[in-house]
Amino acid sequence: MLSARTGDKLRAISDVARKGRRVNGLRRMMNHPDLWMEAYLHIQGNEGALTRGTTTTTMDGYSPERAANLVELIRERRYKPNPVRRVNIPKKVAGKMRPLGIPSADDKLVQEVVRSLLERIYEPLFKDNSHGFRPKRSCHTALRTIQRVWTGTKWFIDIDIKGYFDSMSHDVLMGLLEKRIEDTQFLDLIRDMLDAGYVESWQYHKTYSGTPQGGIVSPILANIYLHELDEFMEQKKQEFDRGKVRRRTIEWTRTTNNMGYLRRKIEALQGDTTPEAIAVRRGYEQQTQEMAATQKRLPASDPLDPDYRRLFYVRYADDYLIGIIGSKQEAKAVFDDVKTFLNTKLQLAISEEKSGIHQALGHFL
């Protein structure tokens, strides 16, 4: 459990971030022993917690002295993360493998403390359309958003980033972190994690880009990197969206008006109990019922209304989807803008064979 003092300091970090100011004092924040105990409790039960990295130590045998030693090493700038141990695990696609980096035990602990501090800074800033590796969010919340909000989507833009976790530029990532964090020693610690390299088949490899899949701090760093895309898409949506509602179709409007006319006729005949009036009223009622059945089969709004368009966007880690209500030409323009942004601002390339524009089928949404 965090002490009241530590909890107050963590809340202060979030408050500073919300106000748009750069956060400082993060390295000193790492001196708090209860922060390390909470980090240990958070990861010690995880699957793979006892899996060794490139050293023989595991998460067993945690003690305040062990944490204090790490704090002292970090304070004196003598702490250097070990290279991660890389193993390849099968992907869902037959024959494909995914590289997984396994940090050493002490490095897992340091990464968890760093992750918890980064979460305090960035959770207040992350967008609602980001669902991956975040508290109380999942692929299910992403899907529910699509089902609830994306009604009438005409085009889907699917973009696949080539080897995202291995392709993130260290320099770009550090530049993004510097926008929110003023503490240079804390930033240097993250840089050391990125530069630690990996060992595969007993061979050391230096890392020039990316974060190791399997690293505790990697998911939030990945979210920080693509938070720039979230902000870009938010601005793109503001520029793209047009019109309050779609215009009604001519057929639906004509049928609705005719039904209104007949209902007024029926209402005018309500007080007349003569056989002739009753027969006429019943005829009007029959016509109204037939028109109501027809109206239900007619589209109420014009899907081709040029004065109405919408852009939707949702992201789960490096998987994201864009929905467009508009023309295919407009969808293509958005697709091109996103590719350009990824390439020029984030130095990421897309997989052309896995990315593209797809038309919604039937009443998918």
Side-chain angles (χ1 to χ4, degrees), residues 165-184:
F165 281 88
D166 291 329
S167 300
M168 284 183 285
S169 164
H170 290 176
D171 289 338
V172 171
L173 176 56
M174 294 309 300
L176 296 176
L177 290 166
E178 288 170 8
K179 289 169 57 177
R180 305 290 182 184
I181 299 171
E182 195 172 3
D183 190 324
T184 56

Side-chain angles (χ1 to χ4, degrees), residues 302-318:
D302 182 2
L304 301 179
D305 182 359
D307 296 321
Y308 180 87
R309 63 184 192 182
R310 288 290 184 274
L311 183 151
F312 305 110
Y313 167 76
V314 69
R315 180 172 68 82
Y316 184 89
D318 61 325

Side-chain angles (χ1 to χ4, degrees), residues 102-121:
I102 304 174
S104 300
D106 285 347
D107 297 333
K108 289 178 183 177
L109 197 56
V110 175
Q111 285 193 29
E112 173 58 21
V113 173
V114 169
R115 185 208 62 79
S116 67
L117 293 174
L118 289 174
E119 186 176 273
R120 291 288 180 165
I121 298 169

Side-chain angles (χ1 to χ4, degrees), residues 22 122 168-181 183-195 211 221 224-225:
R22 294 172 73 201
Y122 285 94
M168 284 183 285
S169 164
H170 290 176
D171 289 338
V172 171
L173 176 56
M174 294 309 300
L176 296 176
L177 290 166
E178 288 170 8
K179 289 169 57 177
R180 305 290 182 184
I181 299 171
D183 190 324
T184 56
Q185 192 171 351
F186 185 79
L187 291 171
D188 288 344
L189 178 60
I190 295 176
R191 170 67 87 166
D192 287 342
M193 292 176 181
L194 296 173
D195 293 341
T211 63
L221 292 178
I224 291 169
Y225 204 94

Side-chain angles (χ1 to χ4, degrees), residues 109-208:
L109 197 56
V110 175
Q111 285 193 29
E112 173 58 21
V113 173
V114 169
R115 185 208 62 79
S116 67
L117 293 174
L118 289 174
E119 186 176 273
R120 291 288 180 165
I121 298 169
Y122 285 94
E123 264 305 308
L125 307 176
F126 284 155
K127 304 298 182 182
D128 286 341
N129 51 29
S130 170
H131 294 263
F133 308 121
R134 294 183 59 194
K136 298 180 181 179
R137 288 172 179 264
S138 65
C139 58
H140 300 293
T141 60
L143 289 172
R144 283 198 293 269
T145 297
I146 293 173
Q147 292 171 341
R148 187 179 68 251
V149 180
W150 292 34
T151 304
T153 298
K154 177 73 171 178
W155 304 98
F156 293 97
I157 305 172
D158 187 21
I159 301 179
D160 184 276
I161 299 174
K162 284 185 179 178
Y164 173 60
F165 281 88
D166 291 329
S167 300
M168 284 183 285
S169 164
H170 290 176
D171 289 338
V172 171
L173 176 56
M174 294 309 300
L176 296 176
L177 290 166
E178 288 170 8
K179 289 169 57 177
R180 305 290 182 184
I181 299 171
E182 195 172 3
D183 190 324
T184 56
Q185 192 171 351
F186 185 79
L187 291 171
D188 288 344
L189 178 60
I190 295 176
R191 170 67 87 166
D192 287 342
M193 292 176 181
L194 296 173
D195 293 341
Y198 66 94
V199 172
E200 185 174 17
S201 300
W202 305 104
Q203 181 70 39
Y204 172 77
H205 302 267
K206 187 169 176 55
T207 45
Y208 298 96

